[in-house]
């Protein structure tokens, strides 16, 4: 980055490569420009990305994971041979400053001041995840043969408990191993269902045209079939219908009421 800034730049007449070496030394400037203005104090300005969700102590507002700031980075210590860096940045919503630093022991970031973490962590043991080996335990495994032997026996017991579960997982995965056969089976099932749906739509369309209906028909159920079997339609014989009409005409001509069966002479 610094070398690229000196490309195609103006070289003054008094510039001497043997004396100055580079344009940065000639101008008495740093290749990182303003980012290195506090380099004499051991502070470098970097672009810092928030590692997790936090709450600002100054304004109480939520700051989401991934929000970026111009932070002052400096070294504050070591964890064995791994340096510990601290980052200081100003909240973009207020005048409060937030300080965070790395935690190499737990592979995490720790809030020093100015904010509080939104707790979204879980216990790996309760979540049935694979636990990472602690540094002290790792050191003990390397130096204590008896502890290493006991730890190996415990691992064997864990393996015996986990074998049935692993076998079930392998059986489930083997059922889906042949991708071509599974794909062919699904496509065949889809074609059969599509064919049935097409036949049903054709029957419904024919019934709607016959009954002159414009409403969608629901799928026939067992309850509909049961109710339909309880209904009986009886068609009257034409001859019987004519006899009933003739008897009705005779009663009307004799002065009887067609529905009550009374004669007008009964009231005289």
């Amino acid at each position: 980055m610094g070398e690229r800034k000196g490309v195609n730049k103006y070289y003054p007449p008094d510039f001497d490569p043997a004396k100055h070496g580079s344009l940065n030394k000639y101008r008495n400037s740093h290749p990182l420009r303003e980012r290195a203005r506090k380099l004499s104090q051991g502070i470098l300005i970097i672009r810092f990305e928030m590692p997790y969700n936090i709450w600002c102590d100054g304004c109480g507002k939520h700051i989401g994971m991934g929000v970026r700031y111009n932070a002052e980075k400096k070294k504050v210590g070591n964890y064995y041979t791994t340096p510990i860096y601290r980052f200081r940045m100003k909240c973009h919503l207020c005048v409060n400053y937030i300080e965070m630093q790395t935690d190499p022991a737990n592979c995490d970031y720790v809030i020093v001041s100015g904010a509080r973490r939104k707790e979204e962590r879980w216990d790996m043991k309760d979540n049935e995840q694979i636990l990472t080996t602690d540094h002290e335990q790792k050191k003990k495994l390397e130096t204590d043969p008896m502890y290493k032997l006991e730890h190996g026996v415990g691992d064997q017991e864990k393996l015996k408990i986990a074998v049935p579960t692993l076998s079930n997982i392998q059986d489930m995965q083997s059922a889906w191993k042949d991708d071509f056969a599974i794909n062919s089976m699904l496509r065949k099932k889809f074609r059969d269902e599509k064919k049935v749906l097409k036949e049903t739509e054709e029957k419904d369309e024919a019934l709607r045209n016959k009954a002159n209906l414009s409403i969608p028909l629901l799928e026939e159920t067992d309850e509909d079939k049961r109710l339909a079997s309880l209904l009986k339609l009886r068609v009257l014989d034409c001859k019987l219908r004519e006899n009933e009409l003739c008897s009705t005409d005779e009663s009307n001509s004799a002065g009887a009421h067609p529905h009550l069966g009374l004669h007008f002479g009964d009231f005289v």
Side-chain angles (χ1 to χ4, degrees):
M1 187 70 179
E3 292 79 4
R4 185 169 59 85
K5 295 180 182 297
V7 177
N8 296 330
K9 299 294 183 179
Y10 171 72
Y11 287 83
D14 58 344
F15 174 77
D16 185 5
K19 178 181 178 181
H20 301 103
S22 65
L23 285 176
N24 291 321
K25 290 184 178 180
Y26 174 81
R27 297 191 178 112
N28 195 21
S29 63
H30 196 275
L32 299 178
R33 302 299 190 271
E34 292 298 322
R35 293 176 54 193
R37 63 179 182 270
K38 296 184 178 180
L39 201 60
S40 60
Q41 306 173 22
I43 297 174
L44 178 66
I45 308 299
I46 66 165
R47 195 68 174 164
F48 181 80
E49 183 174 334
M50 195 62 64
Y52 43 72
N53 298 318
I54 66 171
W55 301 94
C56 178
D57 287 344
C59 57
K61 298 294 182 61
H62 176 268
I63 300 176
M65 178 177 61
V67 179
R68 296 180 180 180
Y69 295 95
N70 292 329
E72 298 179 355
K73 173 187 175 182
K74 65 179 179 178
K75 182 180 177 181
V76 295
N78 287 304
Y79 175 75
Y80 294 95
T81 58
T82 304
I84 299 176
Y85 294 103
R86 181 171 295 182
F87 308 92
R88 186 173 186 266
M89 66 213 83
K90 181 178 175 294
C91 177
H92 66 287
L93 301 172
C94 63
V95 296
N96 181 51
Y97 278 88
I98 302 171
E99 290 189 7
M100 304 179 69
Q101 73 179 29
T102 58
D103 184 11
N106 299 314
C107 301
D108 200 1
Y109 287 86
V110 178
I111 298 176
V112 179
S113 63
R116 66 183 188 277
R117 182 171 183 170
K118 183 179 179 182
E119 196 59 49
E120 296 176 331
R121 292 171 289 186
W122 63 86
D123 190 359
M124 296 177 65
K125 187 175 181 180
D126 295 340
N127 203 32
E128 297 183 357
Q129 288 182 311
I130 299 176
L131 300 178
T132 56
T133 305
D134 186 60
H135 180 75
E136 295 296 333
Q137 187 178 5
K138 187 184 296 184
K139 185 176 180 180
K140 197 173 181 180
L141 286 171
E142 294 175 354
T143 57
D144 191 346
M146 293 301 297
Y147 181 78
K148 183 177 181 181
L149 180 62
E150 293 174 357
H151 192 274
V153 173
D155 291 341
Q156 292 293 332
E157 294 295 331
K158 293 179 181 178
L159 178 61
K160 291 179 182 179
I161 297 173
V163 162
T165 304
L166 294 175
S167 300
N168 293 334
I169 294 174
Q170 289 177 352
D171 294 340
M172 293 175 61
Q173 291 179 346
S174 62
W176 299 92
K177 189 174 182 179
D178 191 355
D179 298 337
F180 179 77
I182 294 171
N183 190 21
S184 300
M185 181 180 64
L186 292 176
R187 290 175 64 86
K188 183 178 182 301
K189 182 180 178 182
F190 173 74
R191 287 193 296 268
D192 294 340
E193 292 178 355
K194 186 177 180 181
K195 184 178 180 181
V196 172
L197 290 175
K198 185 176 180 180
E199 292 177 355
T200 305
E201 290 178 358
E202 291 177 354
K203 291 180 181 179
D204 292 346
E205 186 65 24
L207 182 58
R208 281 196 295 266
N209 294 335
K210 183 178 180 180
N212 196 17
L213 298 175
S214 60
I215 58 175
L217 299 180
L218 298 177
E219 186 178 356
E220 187 180 20
T221 61
D222 295 336
E223 184 66 16
D224 296 336
K225 294 179 181 179
R226 188 185 68 82
L227 294 176
S229 63
L230 298 176
L231 299 177
K232 294 183 179 180
L233 299 178
R234 184 171 62 89
V235 180
L236 294 176
D237 191 11
C238 296
K239 188 70 175 178
L240 181 59
R241 184 62 179 170
E242 291 177 359
N243 295 336
E244 289 180 356
L245 292 175
C246 292
S247 60
T248 302
D249 294 339
E250 291 177 358
S251 60
N252 290 338
S253 61
H257 194 276
H259 299 289
L260 300 177
L262 299 176
H263 295 272
F264 292 105
D266 297 337
F267 297 97
V268 179

